Amino acid sequence: MKENKQALYFNMILGTIGNILIALVTMRYLVKEYDVIGYAITLFGFVLTTSYISYLEKKAGISKKFTWIRTIIATLSLLISALYFFYY
């Protein structure tokens, strides 16, 4: 049973990294194109995807503490990278 939980956590971490990478690439593209509407759509899509992943994690039985840690890390990394793209 412990191996099943470890595999679940590992896949959850990979999914979070993938979600962040997709958001970063999209923001980088939008910065180069200067598309203001695209920023809002990307942010809204990221929020919807993150909420769906949280729903799936709740169904899979992941603890709320681990889910909140993942959500906070993903949001902070997205905000830090967004500030980097906007200022540089």
Side-chain angles (χ1 to χ4, degrees):
M1 188 65 159
K2 185 173 174 120
E3 290 178 14
N4 189 19
K5 284 284 190 184
Q6 287 178 345
L8 189 60
Y9 287 142
F10 180 72
N11 285 323
M12 188 174 87
I13 290 169
L14 288 180
T16 302
I17 291 170
N19 198 9
I20 291 170
L21 289 176
I22 290 171
L24 290 175
V25 169
T26 304
M27 285 190 325
R28 181 181 169 136
Y29 174 74
L30 292 173
V31 165
K32 289 186 177 198
E33 295 295 320
Y34 302 110
D35 185 13
V36 178
I37 296 173
Y39 293 128
I41 292 171
T42 301
L43 184 61
F44 186 65
F46 184 73
V47 169
L48 288 178
T49 304
T50 304
S51 67
Y52 180 67
I53 289 172
S54 296
Y55 169 76
L56 291 177
E57 290 170 355
K58 189 186 313 180
K59 288 289 189 181
I62 305 287
S63 68
K64 285 187 177 185
K65 180 182 175 183
F66 196 71
T67 301
W68 276 104
I69 290 170
R70 184 200 52 83
T71 303
I72 290 169
I73 289 172
T75 305
L76 285 176
S77 65
L78 182 66
L79 288 174
I80 289 169
S81 61
L83 289 173
Y84 175 77
F85 283 130
F86 288 134
Y87 290 116
Y88 295 106

